[in-house]
């Protein structure tokens, strides 16, 4: 993402909260046999919530690049798991 030291100092604490919230949502969904669609809705809500927080510390272009990269990485991991 090519963050300056100042941007990184602001971004990473928010990202850590974001990642923890996503992890909790996945764990909850797994424990409670939530459907994939329900988990997607919760995940989208979390992404929207943090989008506004990320745009307070980074330009919108960088935030968009972050979400795009995150999505592409998820697809890569899924394909790699299927391959194995």
């Amino acid at each position: 993402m090519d963050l300056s030291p100042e941007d990184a100092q602001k971004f990473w604490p928010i990202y850590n909260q974001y990642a923890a919230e996503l992890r909790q949502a996945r764990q909850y969904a797994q424990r409670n046999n939530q459907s994939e669609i329900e988990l997607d809705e919760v995940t989208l809500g979390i992404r929207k919530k943090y989008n506004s927080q990320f745009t307070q510390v980074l330009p919108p272009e960088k935030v968009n690049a972050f979400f795009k990269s995150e999505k592409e990485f998820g697809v890569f991991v899924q394909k790699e798991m299927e391959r194995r």
Side-chain angles (χ1 to χ4, degrees), residues 36-49:
E36 195 64 28
I37 291 175
E38 290 171 317
L39 177 58
D40 285 348
E41 288 176 342
V42 171
T43 301
L44 179 59
I46 294 168
R47 290 172 58 117
K48 285 180 176 181
K49 172 184 169 182

Side-chain angles (χ1 to χ4, degrees), residues 5-57:
E6 296 83 20
D7 287 344
Q9 190 173 23
K10 296 173 189 173
F11 172 80
W12 287 111
I14 298 169
Y15 174 81
N16 291 336
Q17 292 174 334
Y18 166 75
E21 207 166 313
L22 284 176
R23 191 170 33 259
Q24 289 173 349
R26 288 186 198 108
Q27 290 170 347
Y28 178 85
Q30 192 174 35
R31 282 192 313 269
N32 295 290
N33 294 323
Q34 270 188 329
S35 72
E36 195 64 28
I37 291 175
E38 290 171 317
L39 177 58
D40 285 348
E41 288 176 342
V42 171
T43 301
L44 179 59
I46 294 168
R47 290 172 58 117
K48 285 180 176 181
K49 172 184 169 182
Y50 281 91
N51 180 59
S52 64
Q53 291 185 33
F54 288 138
T55 55
Q56 291 177 8
V57 298

